[in-house]
Amino acid sequence: MVRTKRPLICIIAKGRKEEPPFSITETYLDAVNSAGGEPVLMPSVMTDPESFLEYVDGFIVPGGGDVEPELYNGLPHPTIYGVDPGRDRFEIKSIHFAIDKGLPSLFICRGMQIAIAAFGGDLIPHIPDEYGTPDEYGTLVRHRLDLPSKKWHPTEHVVNITTTDSRLAKVIQKTEISTVSCHHQAVRTIPPDWRAVAKAPDGIIEAVEHLYHPWAIGVQWHPELSINDSASQRLFEAFIEATYIRRAGGLVPSQSVEASTTWYEL
């Protein structure tokens, strides 16, 4: 395939209420750069995000604070933090546009949660309330490390790719990987046109895919924090490769589940 300019990858920046506002962690930029893309930030205060997305080749919705509970029929919880209703609604609008247009899309951590909420799925408000028993190995799965100082940090745990015909399985090329995660919420139910394709040993959904979109994958972990890991590299590289294929006219939406598993081959 003949490649010209590097693809422009839109990453939604932090919201107005986050510190610093309208910024992004540099690891996202490094991951996109190393995979062959050119990252550009989109602040979540634009009145017409669709006009911006028309000019980019790929779309990333990154991590951040919690999603507003009322968006997924959830209840308030004392551990919920960093809610930014303006960012939530901006991202939902942008996600629907990206899915409708077949724009290659990668949803990371909160990004996966807001994508699922955008299409009618719901979330687990606080994982330890529902997944606080030992897993099959006799130990708890730590999805993030909560310290006595009330600060939280990323932690590592295993993720199992459960759907072998998924695009994620073809990209990762493994059925079990070690991931870095930093979340206390997770997807509970999957909306129509999406499917779960990976889980943690405790049953938490760790990855989703859209059935009819050419390349829309959500992961609950943070691949940008371990870009030197081969699985994380392949995820970003496959995402960038999908933008080239779309640019060449090779990615189009499908109306059948069977076709959705064969649109893109690594």
Side-chain angles (χ1 to χ4, degrees), residues 67-200:
V67 178
E68 186 178 12
E70 71 177 49
L71 293 178
Y72 54 90
N73 297 316
L75 297 174
H77 192 281
T79 63
I80 290 176
Y81 72 98
V83 172
D84 185 340
R87 178 182 177 181
D88 289 341
R89 285 157 178 76
F90 179 88
E91 289 185 344
I92 287 173
K93 184 177 183 180
S94 301
I95 290 166
H96 274 281
F97 180 83
I99 295 298
D100 289 345
K101 293 296 183 179
L103 189 65
S105 301
L106 179 59
F107 307 105
I108 297 174
C109 195
R110 167 205 156 85
M112 171 173 141
Q113 296 169 9
I114 190 71
I116 291 301
F119 288 89
D122 64 1
L123 308 180
I124 298 168
H126 189 53
I127 292 171
D129 287 351
E130 301 184 36
Y131 289 82
T133 58
D135 63 20
E136 61 184 295
Y137 305 107
T139 59
L140 293 174
V141 177
R142 302 292 183 185
H143 294 277
R144 79 176 181 192
L145 183 61
D146 291 283
L147 301 179
S149 62
K150 296 186 179 181
K151 294 182 179 180
W152 44 262
H153 292 275
T155 188
E156 293 187 27
H157 67 83
V158 167
V159 164
N160 299 302
I161 311 298
T162 55
T163 309
T164 57
D165 69 342
S166 63
R167 291 186 287 282
L168 182 65
K170 294 172 184 177
V171 168
I172 298 297
Q173 301 175 7
K174 296 179 181 179
T175 57
E176 182 177 290
I177 58 174
S178 179
T179 65
V180 177
S181 71
C182 192
H183 62 106
H184 78 109
Q185 297 191 328
V187 170
R188 184 195 301 281
T189 60
I190 305 292
D193 298 338
W194 293 78
R195 63 174 175 172
V197 296
K199 291 185 177 181

